[in-house]
Amino acid sequence: MEPGDCPGDRTAVSALLQAGISRVVIGIRHPLQHLRGHAIRALRSEKLVVDVLGEDLQSKTIEEALKSCLLVNAPLLYRAASRFPFSVLKYAMTLDGKIAASSGHAWWISSKKSRSRVFELRGRSDAVIVGGNTVRRDNPRLTARHGGGHLPMRIVMSQTLDLPEVADIWDVAEAPTVVATQRGARKSFQKFLASKGVEVVEFDILNPRDVMEYLHDRGYLSILWECGGTLAAAAISSGVIHKVYAFVAPKIIGGRSAPTPVGELGMVEMTQALELIDVCYEQVLVNFGFSSNPFCWFIIVFLLS
């Protein structure tokens, strides 16, 4: 992507000149209008050869390369075109579509190698979101234990703050934690969280869209949702989920009341189902990790292109 040098700031351009670079190939122009084209013009003014994919270079191979540039820069492109961070929903389920047994027990559906992939996803995210049910049932740490040095913000969404006082996620020595809740909910528990170093943010009405707007204003770029079916359904219905990672284990657990990855969406006919695009999969030991983009992401890509 084109460097994001602001007018008057030639840091990236100067670095390329000092390195003795004579030719620069740029995948896509900068998505922000006030920065778009500035670095390209600055480089060309210094007599460097600058080629932009799809403009100066065109071929079938270039088309594939341009698509890769769009995919790798998707979080920044989406943030630049909207007031929401790029959001990825991740879940692990059995072959019959369950994320836990009827009892709520879920350790472990996926394999150790699959969980290492999740750590990598966390390490590439600015924040990880779960709901109150996940905190109560799983007591997650939500750290990128094998994903590098970056520690994402851990965010718990809970309307009532019906949360346990003892939970690993309140240990902010490992990583920072924010609790998003409804205004006025359990003031005594809010004070308890504050005493642990946990930040509490109140919303007039707690919902995924308002939380995403808030995270956008805080400068967050990429969000990983590791929540249960109820919050996942609310996030999908709100239109804030753009990509899905589904880890499917070769197991069958059954159970009429066993939870599924996505709760009630209000759809009554199969014609209403969300269709996914750009579906790809890979085998991870004996599990398969599927990656797919919902239709809403297709629309966003279409608008940005």
Side-chain angles (χ1 to χ4, degrees):
M1 187 174 68
E2 177 184 12
D5 281 355
C6 297
D9 178 4
R10 291 165 53 92
T11 304
V13 171
S14 298
L16 290 171
L17 293 174
Q18 292 173 8
I21 303 297
S22 60
R23 183 190 181 205
V24 177
V25 178
I26 293 177
I28 55 176
R29 291 177 178 266
H30 201 284
L32 297 178
Q33 187 64 42
H34 68 285
L35 296 179
R36 188 173 303 151
H38 284 292
I40 293 175
R41 289 191 293 271
L43 289 168
R44 285 173 174 167
S45 70
E46 297 290 345
K47 309 305 181 184
L48 272 72
V49 176
V50 179
D51 294 317
V52 181
L53 300 187
E55 298 179 21
D56 307 295
L57 301 173
Q58 296 183 359
S59 70
K60 191 67 176 179
T61 302
I62 294 299
E63 288 181 10
E64 292 300 315
L66 180 56
K67 183 178 180 180
S68 296
C69 290
L70 292 171
L71 288 175
V72 76
N73 288 294
L76 181 58
L77 294 173
Y78 188 82
R79 176 183 164 82
S82 69
R83 290 196 56 82
F84 297 107
F86 184 78
S87 286
V88 175
L89 172 64
K90 164 264 161 187
Y91 57 81
M93 69 178 186
T94 60
L95 195 58
D96 56 336
K98 309 297 184 180
I99 60 173
S102 298
S103 64
H105 186 269
W107 290 5
W108 292 102
I109 290 177
S110 58
S111 66
K112 185 176 181 180
K113 188 171 182 179
S114 294
R115 294 193 293 277
S116 294
R117 294 291 299 274
V118 174
F119 296 148
E120 294 173 5
L121 287 174
R122 291 177 187 168
R124 295 198 299 267
S125 303
D126 293 321
V128 181
I129 292 182
V130 295
N133 281 336
T134 299
V135 175
R136 287 188 292 270
R137 294 177 179 177
D138 299 341
N139 189 24
R141 290 171 58 194
L142 299 180
T143 56
R145 293 189 284 275
H146 304 295
H150 173 67
L151 294 174
M153 176 74 75
R154 302 175 298 184
I155 299 175
V156 179
M157 289 182 61
S158 173
Q159 287 186 331
T160 63
L161 287 186
D162 180 20
L163 301 169
E165 289 191 2
V166 178
D168 290 339
I169 204 168
W170 307 148
D171 182 4
V172 296
E174 282 194 295
T177 300
V178 170
V179 173
T181 189
Q182 201 99 339
R183 191 170 304 282
R186 290 190 68 191
K187 288 295 186 179
S188 60
F189 193 73
Q190 289 192 36
K191 292 180 180 179
F192 164 77
L193 291 175
S195 71
K196 303 285 286 185
V198 175
E199 181 182 355
V200 179
V201 181
E202 293 182 297
F203 292 82
D204 291 333
I205 299 177
L206 184 65
N207 62 75
R209 288 189 72 86
D210 286 351
V211 172
M212 288 301 97
E213 286 186 3
Y214 170 78
L215 294 179
H216 172 275
D217 292 342
R218 286 186 64 150
Y220 287 17
L221 184 68
S222 183
I223 309 297
L224 180 63
W225 294 71
E226 293 194 55
C227 52
T230 301
L231 184 52
I236 291 173
S237 297
S238 298
V240 302
I241 299 297
H242 315 113
K243 190 170 186 177
V244 176
Y245 277 89
F247 292 85
V248 183
K251 302 174 183 178
I252 294 177
I253 189 67
R256 180 178 299 178
S257 60
T260 58
V262 181
E264 180 59 54
L265 291 174
M267 299 177 183
V268 295
E269 296 182 359
M270 192 56 64
T271 53
Q272 297 175 287
L274 294 172
E275 294 190 16
L276 308 182
I277 64 169
D278 290 341
V279 177
C280 60
Y281 67 91
E282 62 180 285
Q283 186 173 2
V284 183
L285 292 180
V286 293
N287 295 332
F288 283 87
F290 292 87
S291 171
S292 57
N293 292 344
F295 183 66
C296 59
W297 173 235
F298 169 75
I299 293 176
I300 294 300
V301 172
F302 176 77
L303 291 174
L304 287 176
S305 63

